[in-house]
Amino acid sequence: MSDHADIRLHAPYMSRGPSLRARVLWVMSSLGLLALLYGVFYDWAYVPRWGLCVAAGLALEATYLALGEGRWSLRSGSSAITAAILVMSVPAGIPLLPLLLALFVGVFVARMGMSSTAIRLNPALLARLFLMLAFNHEVVAWTQPGLPTDGVTTATPLDLFHAEGATYGLVPLLLGRIGGNWEGLYEIVAGSPGEIFTPIILLIGVILALSRVMEWRVGAAFLAAFAVTCALVGLPVVFSLVTGSVIFAAVFIAGDPVSTPASKGGRLMAGVVAGVANALIRAYTFYSEGIVFAFLLANLLAPVLDRLAFTLRGLMLLGQAAAFDRRGRARRGP
Amino acid sequence: MKAPMTREPADSVATAPAFGFPPPPDVLASAPPDVAYALPPPHHGHPLSRVVVTTGQVITAGAVLAQIDDADLHSAIAGTVDVAEHLITVRSPAGAAWRLEPEPSLTPPAGADAAAFAAFLAAAGAVGMGGSLFPAARKLRASAPVATLIVNGTECEPGLAIDRALLLHHDEWIRHGTDALARACGATRIVLAVQAAPRELAALRERYPYELAVMPRGYPAGAERLIVQLVTGRPLPAGRFPFQAGCLVQNVATLRGIGRALRDRVPFVERPLSLLAPAQKLIRNLIVPTGLSYAALLAATGCGFDPNHQVLVAGGLMMGRHVSLEDRVTLGTTGLFVLPARVVQARERACIRCGACHEACPLGLHPIAMVQRAANRGPRTRTEKAHIQACFLCGACAAACPAGIALAQRLREARQHV
């Protein structure tokens, strides 16, 4: 009849799923906005640096595909997200070479190499784990951006809280600028560029979730579980939520649909796992924050959580059927 | 915000209803040269149908061709009969018009009780015109007495608009059929389930004195199970029928047919359907004779078709099937789509576990997990079976999959193991 070889002879005849490329574009615009804000408020040099990393991510993805397929192409361009998240979760002044090395690990091992394997690790987190292990000093070298401060490093508010129990008012934390109250010397900027504009990140997260670009279940469950666990172990809840990269992770790391479980129930459980783990790491370990470990743990558990959700849904279906039949017998009488 | 997120084939029909306010369906004017009806194949050696005409016999429109269990087969046109093994063809003399009023050939029901009404439905050839073709007589006998009659006017296949047009313009027949069926099955509550714009809801409230259940927009809101769940407030578990939940569900086209059979004595020989050819910007609601070939339908409506670059899909985009020009309109044909071939082509890639299928499933099942765990060997565990049985193969998961995995097809295969 027709010479088209692969005409699909069965329904459905239409596709209405979200396009991966459109999703990547939306997320990249959000991350780009945050990078731009950092550039405006603190350090213009950060913007080209961010752009360079994103370009490097895309180049790595194209290289990976070229090695396998023999021609230059991009899959969904999602390595750009990996690069952007990575560069925004480390100090602004980190040397470029370790950063690119970590990006290579993230893209080649996790983003492309683990494509369609049973367990997938979030590539940005794997890259950051690599940095933490191989370049430990550079990852915590919180410089003072915007000041001619080659040699001066400071701690973040979270580090100070962790080490000395210092807390700050909510308003300066939300605005990302804290009046000098650490030895009265420096203004303290809260950590990595991605963590600073908490209210804006939260707003972006809500918009992305409502427009179905990002998955919201992991992030929401993560925030809820984190807040509850913080309250239980005696950490200040609001301070804990707005410091560190909790909000950033809830939006941009929890929102990654690929490394988290696929099922709705599994996603809720993964969020709870990550939230509880992060709060416990903050409270009881020598790390001031444990986003990387918390979410990598959730990634590793993804197949188990999916399986658990599958079984629970199946049991619920069986229970509904049994209840339906009981009601039917009661109606008909014995 | 929403716009860039949906990926439609470039010139596919929009998911939104194509008509603002559907005009009345046109009756196909010109006479078909012939109509043909396939007979059900014998079941375990027993014939399911008894042919009552012989080759060469001249019959009137609406005459019975074969007696089939619970739904007799009628001819839509007058003409000369040709009986082959599993196919009855009726050829019309040249120049004859297709009349909407075949010779009154039905006797009215003997009484108002369920048994007498079921016998009338069987003689009229009433079957489920939502696509299931399940005999209405058998459904009535199994259901009566039942508390609730649900009129299913929820058309959810994207692009189809025929049920909405019938509801708005053939309301007399629909009310007549609905009231009679409600009396026969003893229903005290009549619910009209629709998925319509507010403007249409007002028009429907004027026309129907029934309780209105508005289903959520989008596919697959018209599924029987979801309607029963909305009306009764409880999910209908797999393997249970609506009558077990106290409901009898009939499609609006079926009820129109019942009303027409009661009032005009016209048996089930008319099929209201939507014809859509997005590339030619053609969209029409039509009433056509059953047994009409798709070639004749396209010729009569002036709709072009290029077999090398286009394909025909009958039913709907989500649950329909690929047909050829020689295939015939049946009582279950809700629509015909002329689609560019590249729209129905799909390249399958590996699952990236994005969860789009989970998000799309109207029952909250785990489509990709079902496929990965049960497609090749069939479901093994209790919970795997529960999942596969609950799935009613709506195809929402497959349509949502960004990797183009044929989830619906795999699930259909997996179900065959249950």
Side-chain angles (χ1 to χ4, degrees):
Chain A
M1 189 203 98
S2 161
D3 52 359
H4 288 283
D6 55 347
I7 282 182
R8 213 150 114 183
L9 294 179
H10 47 75
Y13 295 96
M14 64 181 291
S15 150
R16 52 179 192 179
S19 144
L20 286 181
R21 265 202 198 171
R23 286 168 84 143
V24 169
L25 273 178
W26 276 95
V27 176
M28 281 312 291
S29 346
S30 314
L31 289 166
L33 175 71
L34 291 176
L36 202 62
L37 283 174
Y38 189 83
V40 170
F41 285 108
Y42 299 107
D43 186 4
W44 272 111
Y46 185 72
V47 178
R49 192 185 162 82
W50 185 88
L52 181 75
C53 279
V54 168
L58 288 173
L60 282 169
E61 179 175 327
T63 311
Y64 185 96
L65 289 174
L67 288 175
E69 296 170 11
R71 63 189 179 85
W72 294 93
S73 64
L74 282 177
R75 199 169 283 161
S76 62
S78 52
S79 300
I81 299 183
T82 304
I85 291 179
L86 177 66
V87 72
M88 293 170 87
S89 66
V90 292
I94 191 169
L96 216 48
L97 197 61
L99 196 60
L100 292 180
L101 207 54
L103 194 54
F104 172 81
V105 171
V107 172
F108 265 61
V109 176
R111 173 61 73 190
M112 308 305 284
M114 297 178 88
S115 155
S116 69
T117 51
I119 292 179
R120 298 196 62 177
L121 300 177
N122 186 308
L125 291 183
L126 189 72
R128 201 171 186 291
L129 182 68
F130 173 80
L131 276 180
M132 285 163 68
L133 297 175
F135 298 92
N136 183 33
H137 176 71
E138 284 83 350
V139 177
V140 292
W142 306 110
T143 54
Q144 291 261 336
L147 298 170
T149 54
D150 275 334
V152 181
T153 64
T154 71
T156 68
L158 185 54
D159 282 337
L160 290 177
F161 171 76
H162 196 73
E164 304 172 11
T167 57
Y168 300 89
L170 194 58
V171 174
L173 271 180
L174 286 176
L175 294 179
R177 257 185 199 279
I178 299 152
N181 59 356
W182 186 49
E183 299 179 357
L185 273 176
Y186 309 110
E187 284 209 329
I188 294 177
V189 177
S192 354
E195 305 167 357
I196 295 177
F197 307 100
T198 318
I200 295 176
I201 297 172
L202 203 55
L203 186 69
I204 288 175
V206 171
I207 292 174
L208 291 183
L210 287 180
S211 55
R212 302 273 182 114
V213 177
M214 287 293 234
E215 156 60 36
W216 59 272
R217 285 187 181 79
V218 186
F222 167 72
L223 287 180
F226 178 72
V228 168
T229 316
C230 278
L232 287 178
V233 299
L235 291 173
V237 174
V238 179
F239 175 83
S240 301
L241 278 173
V242 299
T243 50
S245 48
V246 170
I247 300 286
F248 183 79
V251 174
F252 291 106
I253 290 174
D256 173 22
V258 168
S259 57
T260 49
S263 61
K264 297 176 192 172
R267 286 183 167 171
L268 287 175
M269 289 189 271
V272 170
V273 166
V276 171
N278 194 38
L280 293 182
I281 289 170
R282 276 199 184 195
Y284 298 119
T285 70
F286 62 86
Y287 291 100
S288 54
E289 167 143 83
I291 291 289
V292 171
F293 300 116
F295 274 96
L296 285 180
L297 176 66
N299 290 169
L300 288 174
L301 289 177
V304 180
L305 297 178
D306 266 341
R307 178 161 287 209
L308 189 58
F310 184 90
T311 305
L312 289 176
R313 184 77 185 104
L315 290 176
M316 201 200 275
L317 289 170
L318 290 170
Q320 280 174 357
F324 184 88
D325 293 345
R326 266 200 309 279
R327 275 198 304 276
R329 271 197 300 276
R331 236 192 333 266
R332 280 194 301 276
Chain B
M1 266 292 162
K2 276 260 152 68
M5 304 322 305
T6 49
R7 180 162 51 99
E8 301 276 3
D11 41 7
S12 156
V13 288
T15 315
F19 290 117
F21 196 86
D26 305 320
V27 178
L28 195 71
S30 52
D34 60 7
V35 291
Y37 302 93
L39 293 170
H43 186 68
H44 295 298
H46 298 288
L48 293 177
S49 56
R50 195 169 67 82
V51 179
V52 298
V53 288
T54 51
T55 301
Q57 189 178 336
V58 176
I59 55 161
T60 56
V64 176
L65 296 174
Q67 285 173 339
I68 302 173
D69 195 21
D70 283 333
D72 288 354
L73 179 65
H74 300 261
S75 169
I77 62 171
T80 316
V81 178
D82 180 25
V83 181
E85 195 178 354
H86 294 307
L87 191 78
I88 302 180
T89 312
V90 181
R91 289 193 178 77
S92 154
W98 179 51
R99 292 183 303 163
L100 258 181
E101 314 297 336
E103 312 296 325
S105 53
L106 290 171
T107 43
D113 59 308
F117 200 75
F120 171 75
L121 291 179
V127 293
M129 290 175 79
S132 72
L133 294 178
F134 190 82
R138 206 179 298 164
K139 204 181 215 178
L140 175 60
R141 277 193 220 108
S143 304
V146 76
T148 310
L149 173 63
I150 301 177
V151 183
N152 184 0
T154 318
E155 198 154 30
C156 58
E157 280 277 5
L160 296 185
I162 186 65
D163 284 358
R164 288 163 59 222
L166 291 182
L167 274 174
L168 289 168
H169 302 291
H170 289 188
D171 52 309
E172 277 189 36
W173 281 325
I174 294 170
R175 272 201 311 273
H176 200 80
T178 306
D179 293 340
L181 185 61
R183 275 194 301 278
C185 71
T188 48
R189 182 185 177 203
I190 304 178
V191 181
L192 173 60
V194 290
Q195 178 188 34
R199 197 157 59 113
E200 275 176 54
L201 285 182
L204 290 176
R205 278 206 185 86
E206 277 171 27
R207 287 168 173 76
Y208 296 94
Y210 311 137
E211 191 183 324
L212 223 56
V214 181
M215 300 297 295
R217 301 297 289 259
Y219 182 85
E224 197 171 71
R225 299 194 163 267
L226 300 181
I227 293 179
V228 170
Q229 177 169 352
L230 186 87
V231 170
T232 63
R234 290 207 182 88
L236 183 62
R240 280 70 173 173
F241 297 98
F243 73 81
Q244 291 174 292
C247 297
L248 170 61
V249 187
Q250 272 300 3
N251 176 264
V252 60
T254 314
L255 290 165
R256 171 197 173 275
I258 294 175
R260 185 131 161 79
L262 281 170
R263 288 221 345 206
D264 308 338
R265 309 266 181 273
V266 174
F268 275 63
V269 294
E270 299 165 349
R271 177 64 242 193
L273 54 80
S274 292
L275 172 68
L276 291 101
Q280 304 169 44
K281 302 211 179 338
L282 178 79
I283 168 162
R284 284 181 74 184
N285 285 332
L286 295 163
I287 292 180
V288 304
T290 54
L292 183 72
S293 73
Y294 291 124
L297 172 60
L298 293 173
T301 51
C303 175
F305 174 63
D306 173 6
N308 288 322
H309 299 103
Q310 290 178 316
V311 288
L312 291 178
V313 171
L317 292 171
M318 300 298 288
M319 289 184 88
R321 60 198 178 84
H322 194 95
V323 292
S324 72
L325 278 172
E326 297 76 43
D327 288 333
R328 304 280 174 161
V329 172
T330 70
L331 282 170
T333 310
T334 50
L336 181 69
F337 290 79
V338 182
L339 299 177
R342 63 181 174 78
V343 171
V344 292
Q345 285 176 16
R347 203 157 50 96
E348 195 164 304
R349 295 178 298 277
C351 173
I352 58 163
R353 301 194 315 122
C354 67
C357 53
H358 292 259
E359 205 66 52
C361 180
L363 295 177
L365 304 178
H366 297 209
I368 187 64
M370 285 195 273
V371 164
Q372 286 172 345
R373 292 170 71 155
N376 299 326
R377 53 174 172 79
R380 261 199 308 237
T381 65
R382 224 155 58 96
T383 47
E384 281 176 8
K385 284 200 185 94
H387 271 267
I388 290 281
Q389 283 166 343
C391 169
F392 57 85
L393 302 173
C394 68
C397 50
C401 180
I405 300 173
L407 288 161
Q409 185 68 10
R410 305 271 181 77
L411 288 169
R412 200 166 291 130
E413 287 158 16
R415 264 183 87 107
Q416 284 162 4
H417 292 283
V418 181

